[in-house]
Amino acid sequence: MSSSSIAALDAADPLASYRDRFQLPEGVIYLDGNSLGALPRQTADRVQAVMQHEWGTGLIRSWNSADWIGAPQRVGGKIARLVGARPHEIVVADSTSVNLSKLIMAVLTARPDRTVVLSEPGNFPTDLYMVESALATLGGARQLQLAPRDTLAEQITDNTALVLLTHVHYKTADVYDMAAITAAAHAKGALVLWDLSHSVGAVPLALNDCGADLAVGCGYKFLNGGPGAPAFLFVAERHHATLVSPLGGWMGHARPFAFVDHYEPATGISRFLCGTPPILAVAALESGVDLHLEVDMQVVLQKSRALAQLFMDQVAVRCAPYGVSLVGPPPGAPRGSHVSFRHAEGYAIMQALIARGVIGDFRAPDIMRFGLTPLYLRFTDVVQAVDVLEDVLRTESWRAPEYQVRQAVT
Ligand SMILES: *Cc1c(COP(=O)(O)O)cnc(C)c1O
């Protein structure tokens, strides 16, 4: 593709103005917004204001005057608009891992007659680990069953308590058909828990229209909530009365400030809160969510597809001869907003890329993963990233010893 046609794509980009809403370092092409979203400029101001005014001046009064106490529900309600849920069906709380555990335990406890949790091999590790630990805690005859995605729907039976799936796969960007899986599960009386960590803020979602039961999602990836941002959980209203959190903390109590001795869960989604919300972190997350609410997720999806198409085409032509092969959905198929390639030396190649300012990440054993974030990436960035990748492969600069050393975080 000629440089003028790439420039034309950027000139016609309806999201082009959003790039300046982020603080991006000079000389970096950031292809890891699927793992840690970039810093929105407004977030630094927002967190500063919460610190100076609400905390510094308001002090404890701010629980009421700045509505800190309502923040988990307020921000949850905003996330609901991004994922096609009703505002009272989502709260911000804890980490994705903890929210997975709370919902898995709640379902298994409510449905002791069904013994199987069904998931897929290669699901995100924490999802499977949280099932294992829930099973160890609850005991009995319950078990985790893993079925590959092409036969998964057939494996749902009237003994399946819960189907636990990651909607957009963290390595491959494969996407499940949420409506179809949910319908297959409901036909057998099973519930589905969707992990939306690589979906929210990346692809349009319609939880209510799909009949979704339960979901969790991550705040620090495509939502740009900041490192370790709080996560969220979704429980469809029809399940509010029957599911109870295994962590009956006071913030999930019907009347937290009655200070009574006995736990009584709140009637709505608030029953899935546990302890005091981290207000500074919730403020940063809210700022990232607010930015997403300005844009149409269909427009985001279209640009994501176009960026991915360009990236896949360029790599296929220029890098495939060096042993780089596409992983996940082929060009044109539904996908999440990251693109992954396999190469036996993927770790060292990624280190060489990062050293030259092209930041993606590596997922063992051999996957180079590149996040394509439509709000702050240009088509020009994609082509320049492939320029560097091609150069690293052609010169074999990845062979340098410093790129062979595995760091703690890959
Ligand atoms: C990133 C991610 C998580 C993160 O869980 P934490 O509790 O925040 O560490 C969970 N599930 C999936 C699918 C993810 O991609």
Side-chain angles (χ1 to χ4, degrees):
M1 223 177 192
S2 71
S3 56
S4 65
S5 53
I6 301 295
L9 287 175
D10 282 322
D13 174 8
L15 298 174
S17 66
Y18 282 91
R19 180 177 170 82
D20 194 43
R21 304 285 297 276
F22 292 86
Q23 183 181 313
L24 296 165
E26 279 295 313
V28 163
I29 298 178
Y30 192 57
L31 304 178
D32 219 352
N34 59 314
S35 207
L36 174 63
L39 171 63
R41 291 188 194 280
Q42 66 194 34
T43 298
D45 298 338
R46 171 89 185 114
V47 173
Q48 185 68 18
V50 172
M51 281 204 288
Q52 291 301 333
H53 302 128
E54 297 182 8
W55 178 17
T57 304
L59 289 165
I60 202 163
R61 294 170 291 190
S62 291
W63 282 106
N64 291 309
S65 60
D67 194 30
W68 285 353
I69 196 67
Q73 296 86 349
R74 180 181 70 245
V75 183
K78 290 181 177 186
I79 294 171
R81 285 157 58 191
L82 286 177
V83 299
R86 289 171 290 177
H88 59 283
E89 293 176 316
I90 295 190
V91 275
V92 163
D94 304 313
S95 64
T96 305
S97 299
V98 171
N99 288 334
L100 281 166
S101 179
K102 289 188 296 190
L103 295 182
I104 293 164
M105 295 277 289
V107 170
L108 291 177
T109 307
R111 323 186 89 202
D113 47 318
R114 291 172 178 247
T115 62
V116 170
V117 178
L118 181 64
S119 189
E120 70 167 333
N123 195 353
F124 191 80
T126 211
D127 298 61
L128 301 180
Y129 303 163
M130 281 306 182
V131 175
E132 288 181 337
S133 58
L135 297 181
T137 304
L138 292 172
R142 297 180 180 92
Q143 49 162 313
L144 170 62
Q145 185 189 331
L146 302 179
R149 73 174 51 210
D150 50 339
T151 64
L152 189 124
E154 300 152 30
Q155 305 287 321
I156 305 170
T157 71
D158 55 14
N159 194 25
T160 308
L162 181 68
V163 180
L164 169 63
L165 294 172
T166 298
H167 175 243
V168 170
H169 195 274
Y170 75 104
K171 271 189 193 170
T172 64
D174 277 311
V175 194
Y176 274 107
D177 182 336
M178 184 182 286
I181 296 279
T182 302
H186 288 178
K188 301 286 184 184
L191 302 184
V192 187
L193 168 50
W194 293 102
D195 188 331
L196 305 177
S197 293
H198 275 88
S199 311
V200 62
V203 296
L205 291 161
L207 293 182
N208 288 158
D209 287 349
C210 292
D213 301 297
L214 306 160
V216 297
C218 188
Y220 51 80
K221 292 172 178 166
F222 289 95
L223 289 182
N224 307 99
F232 67 90
L233 63 82
F234 158 87
V235 178
E237 184 183 346
R238 63 184 179 280
H239 297 305
H240 286 182
T242 48
L243 297 181
V244 179
S245 173
L247 299 175
W250 71 309
M251 284 290 155
H253 194 277
R255 293 172 308 281
F257 287 87
F259 294 104
V260 293
D261 286 347
H262 176 63
Y263 181 71
E264 181 192 329
T267 47
I269 191 74
S270 302
R271 63 172 51 194
F272 291 99
L273 298 177
C274 183
T276 304
I279 292 302
L280 298 178
V282 174
L285 174 62
E286 183 168 25
S287 169
V289 172
D290 284 342
L291 191 48
H292 281 269
L293 287 173
E294 291 181 26
V295 298
D296 178 346
M297 283 307 298
Q298 292 295 340
V299 175
V300 172
L301 178 73
Q302 275 170 23
K303 182 173 172 190
S304 163
R305 291 274 164 85
L307 289 167
Q309 182 78 43
L310 178 63
F311 195 38
M312 290 186 285
D313 288 350
Q314 294 269 319
V315 171
V317 173
R318 300 164 61 187
C319 305
Y322 302 104
V324 173
S325 60
L326 180 68
V327 178
R335 59 173 314 111
S337 206
H338 59 279
V339 178
S340 295
F341 300 97
R342 181 166 279 136
H343 190 289
E345 296 294 341
Y347 182 79
I349 296 167
M350 185 56 75
Q351 297 311 301
L353 285 175
I354 293 170
R356 293 183 55 181
V358 176
I359 302 181
D361 60 24
F362 173 77
R363 288 293 173 262
D366 58 2
I367 289 192
M368 298 185 284
R369 190 175 68 159
F370 301 93
L372 303 174
T373 46
L375 295 191
Y376 49 93
L377 268 188
R378 298 167 298 202
F379 291 91
T380 318
D381 296 320
V382 166
V383 176
Q384 285 176 3
V386 181
D387 289 345
V388 177
L389 176 60
E390 184 185 11
D391 191 66
V392 164
L393 291 165
R394 187 179 48 78
T395 61
E396 299 193 355
S397 64
W398 53 265
R399 288 192 188 275
E402 66 264 35
Y403 302 144
Q404 318 295 321
V405 185
R406 291 279 169 122
Q407 308 205 52
V409 176
T410 64

